[in-house]
Amino acid sequence: MPENRDTEFAWKYHDATKHSHSSVRTNPHFLDFANQPLPFKIYPSLEPMRLPSEMRQTGVAALSAICDSVKNRTNAAPDLAAIAQLLYLSAGITRQRKFSGGEIYFRAAACTGALYEVELYLVCSGLSDLSAGVYHFAPAEFGLRKLRDGDYRSVLVEAAGNESAIARARLIIVCTCTYWRNAWKYQDRTYRHFGWDNGTMLANLLAATTALGLPAKVACGFVDETVNQLLDVDPQREVAFSLVSVGHSSQDPPPSPVNVPALGLETVPLSRSEIDYPLMREMHAASSLHSRKEASMWRARTPLMNLPPPAAPVVQLQTLSDDEMPRDSIEQVILRRGSSRKFARTPITLPQLSTMLHRATRGVPADFLDPMGTQLNHLYLIVNAVDGVEPGAYVFHCDSGLLECLKQGNFRDQVGCLGLEQQLPADAAVDIFFLADLHPILQRFGNRGYRAVQLEAGILGGKLYLAAYAQRLGATGLTFYDDDVIRFFSPHAEGKSAIFLVAVGNSAKHQP
Ligand SMILES: Cc1cc2nc3c(=O)[nH]c(=O)nc-3n(C[C@H](O)[C@H](O)[C@H](O)COP(=O)(O)O)c2cc1C
């Protein structure tokens, strides 16, 4: 059995899945549209129970919802309408578009290739209008399919080594990732996308829980096999990636059922045939935890990832004043969001950029980020067009609200190259790269630290998306040439790894 502590696996996976000019040019991969996977998991033998489709308007401003969190209080439980809202705002179908080969069902959160490999399951106590059970969320029908009847929360409490928020949650949302659905296009790199795409979804989910006044926390430390067995997923194809506790109860859940039998439920095959990419399953196995004790030892004690103090000229962030702060609600902003397909080369303002950076980095409630506010990724920026900021390369000092200038210059062409030779990063007003020093992260968290760092980047990237759209700007996630990014930001970034990229600017669609 591979060992989480043997971090050679994470390094091997990371190095093997870097994009370089030659890896991209010599890859013979093509998209076999006749074999494209279904975007939904379908259990043909189970009838879905429809969720209430009428959305409550919380009226909570998106820019508040993404940065606030709700403290635990006795007995906070979602009812069915709140659950419907949480699921819709994180994974619901918000738009659909026909194209020659079929139809794309776009979802509430951004996802690489619109392939939607993340599935959601609920494990809950009896709630108002929903009996205790294990359910699968079916976005196509906007419904729930009941997989198990009864309260199985204790199974997750044990799997998570008694993590306190999971132990007191009324509802636990389990996010799984399906290899083939994303690997059809992205091959081995898909394991990185698990963190990214699960993360953007969690940004929405956390904001929605906050808007509904429900405490929520992300957990990455759990015994994988136990969670996969509870959901009865085939771990060769689909694996649990993160848990989210929702609500709070003053009581412990009832003891777990003595056994959790296999369900053997039929599911519709995703494609005619599937191609296996063993490197990802190896990475997953090597980052798996095998006992409650291992899960409880895994969490917290986040390594300190402080940047050296600024050694170069700085720009002080200037967030929008309360009067200027857009108040569009989280519901409005999530429904408006959609990745920009073209940016106008027009500037955004320093207060707009400052507000995005500030609001997106106020902390993520997660079992691997302790104390809350700790961050694994650092944000490096290429500023193309921000009023009041010289074009150039910067690193963001989150604690002091400063941008440290690493070099000045017009880097539009270079950033176009760094972003896999796409036009979007070249046209954007600012490109925000997430870079992390994997050495202390893997040393502390083992291979599973690799899941955590990708997931954190996805969550912060998802918050940046929402912060941009709240201000009527556009944004898109992007992929990148790994080592070229590090070279560009070096010497400051030496030793770090490129994890994530999001571009922000004015959408060309909305220009006069
Ligand atoms: C992490 C991440 C990376 C992405 N990379 C690219 C990219 O390299 N190029 C691109 O055009 N779009 C990219 N996208 C945008 C997706 O294609 C887009 O999210 C998806 O088509 C769904 O559409 P929507 O975001 O408008 O809902 C990326 C999105 C994410 C979340």
Side-chain angles (χ1 to χ4, degrees):
M1 204 182 322
E3 241 296 306
N4 185 45
R5 302 257 35 113
D6 182 358
T7 57
E8 248 178 58
F9 282 94
W11 285 115
K12 177 179 158 191
Y13 176 79
H14 183 65
D15 291 338
T17 57
K18 283 180 177 175
H19 277 327
S20 67
H21 289 261
S22 91
S23 76
V24 166
R25 283 172 176 71
T26 56
N27 185 349
H29 186 61
F30 68 98
L31 294 182
D32 178 2
F33 283 99
N35 198 35
Q36 182 170 4
L38 283 175
F40 305 113
K41 181 174 189 179
I42 304 169
Y43 293 90
S45 60
L46 297 180
E47 271 305 307
M49 177 190 104
R50 304 275 167 180
L51 286 161
S53 55
E54 204 168 304
M55 288 294 124
R56 286 178 194 162
Q57 293 301 313
T58 62
V60 174
L63 285 168
S64 303
I66 61 167
C67 71
D68 295 340
S69 54
V70 177
K71 296 254 174 322
N72 279 337
R73 59 189 156 85
T74 323
N75 295 333
D79 59 11
L80 189 62
I83 290 173
Q85 184 136 356
L86 294 180
L87 293 172
Y88 184 66
L89 294 176
S90 5
I93 297 172
T94 49
R95 284 173 294 139
Q96 53 201 85
R97 191 165 305 145
K98 286 199 167 57
F99 66 108
S100 52
E103 197 152 20
I104 301 184
Y105 297 92
F106 288 95
R107 313 270 284 266
C111 178
T112 50
L115 293 165
Y116 304 112
E117 74 276 14
V118 183
E119 298 283 340
L120 297 183
Y121 298 81
L122 311 182
V123 179
C124 63
S125 62
L127 298 167
S128 172
D129 301 322
L130 188 68
S131 60
V134 177
Y135 299 85
H136 172 252
F137 172 53
E141 294 97 344
F142 196 54
L144 297 176
R145 286 190 167 87
K146 195 176 213 177
L147 307 183
R148 296 186 193 273
D149 196 20
D151 193 337
Y152 284 84
R153 285 175 299 154
S154 288
V155 176
L156 296 183
V157 176
E158 285 189 26
N162 249 357
E163 200 282 326
S164 58
I166 299 277
R168 287 306 162 104
R170 297 295 302 270
L171 160 70
I172 299 146
I173 299 181
V174 185
C175 309
T176 67
C177 298
T178 306
Y179 292 107
W180 171 241
R181 207 180 279 142
N182 194 271
W184 169 74
K185 180 167 182 184
Y186 297 104
Q187 303 174 280
D188 281 322
R189 202 165 152 103
T190 281
Y191 203 79
R192 299 185 184 210
H193 295 202
F194 282 3
W196 300 355
D197 296 332
N198 191 181
T200 56
M201 186 185 273
L202 292 187
N204 285 21
L205 178 59
L206 292 172
T209 52
T210 296
L212 287 166
L214 292 163
K217 185 174 173 187
V218 179
C220 271
F222 52 85
V223 179
D224 297 74
E225 193 181 5
T226 311
V227 179
N228 291 335
Q229 278 173 355
L230 178 65
L231 307 178
D232 204 40
V233 294
D234 171 1
Q236 298 300 310
R237 296 196 156 84
E238 180 184 357
V239 286
F241 202 82
S242 68
L243 313 179
V244 184
S245 54
V246 180
H248 186 78
S249 162
S250 52
Q251 286 166 6
D252 289 336
S256 334
V258 185
N259 60 19
V260 179
L263 296 169
L265 290 166
E266 186 193 343
T267 57
V268 175
L270 295 180
S271 292
R272 193 170 14 85
S273 60
E274 296 187 9
I275 298 167
D276 186 26
Y277 295 95
L279 189 61
M280 290 193 284
R281 280 189 292 100
E282 190 180 291
M283 176 62 211
H284 189 76
S287 57
S288 288
L289 305 179
H290 301 285
S291 70
R292 285 168 64 177
K293 185 168 171 228
E294 208 185 348
S296 70
M297 305 271 293
W298 182 81
R299 60 178 172 257
R301 290 181 290 122
T302 313
L304 279 181
M305 311 292 292
N306 293 339
L307 288 170
V314 293
V315 177
Q316 181 76 50
L317 294 190
Q318 301 162 17
T319 55
L320 292 165
S321 68
D322 282 353
D323 287 349
E324 295 163 324
M325 198 67 76
R327 304 216 179 279
D328 292 4
S329 72
I330 187 67
E331 296 84 16
Q332 290 172 317
V333 170
I334 288 178
L335 293 185
R336 180 195 301 159
R337 192 212 61 78
S339 300
S340 297
R341 300 291 87 202
K342 187 167 171 47
F343 289 113
R345 286 198 171 200
T346 51
I348 65 169
T349 67
L350 178 58
Q352 285 174 323
L353 173 63
S354 305
T355 301
M356 268 188 307
L357 292 174
H358 178 256
R359 295 282 166 128
T361 56
R362 288 306 88 196
V364 175
D367 64 347
F368 57 90
L369 297 173
D370 181 45
M372 165 118 160
T374 326
Q375 218 172 273
L376 303 178
N377 285 276
H378 288 129
L379 276 52
Y380 285 72
L381 283 68
I382 296 182
V383 170
N384 290 329
V386 177
D387 277 341
V389 184
E390 284 296 321
Y394 294 82
V395 59
F396 173 46
H397 290 260
C398 185
D399 293 341
S400 46
L402 297 174
L403 293 177
E404 174 186 355
C405 184
L406 303 178
K407 51 186 169 185
Q408 284 190 359
N410 179 341
F411 296 118
R412 280 194 191 272
D413 290 346
Q414 265 150 292
V415 70
C417 292
L418 296 179
L420 224 72
E421 298 164 79
Q422 300 180 80
Q423 196 56 39
L424 282 158
D427 290 342
V430 57
D431 292 287
I432 305 172
F433 292 81
F434 292 64
L435 271 49
D437 185 350
L438 289 178
H439 299 88
I441 296 170
L442 298 181
Q443 191 180 9
R444 163 67 194 97
F445 290 123
N447 293 312
R448 207 177 186 87
Y450 195 70
R451 297 192 198 177
V453 75
Q454 301 288 358
L455 187 70
E456 182 201 77
I459 296 173
L460 298 178
K463 287 182 181 222
L464 285 171
Y465 256 106
L466 296 175
Y469 282 83
Q471 301 185 74
R472 298 198 174 266
L473 300 171
T476 184
L478 289 167
T479 196
F480 43 82
Y481 287 123
D482 292 73
D483 289 344
D484 291 355
V485 170
I486 300 303
R487 267 192 290 277
F488 178 84
F489 288 108
S490 286
H492 198 280
E494 244 156 40
K496 292 186 180 169
S497 295
I499 304 294
F500 194 90
L501 165 58
V502 58
V504 177
N506 292 300
S507 165
K509 228 163 93 183
H510 302 131
Q511 297 299 300

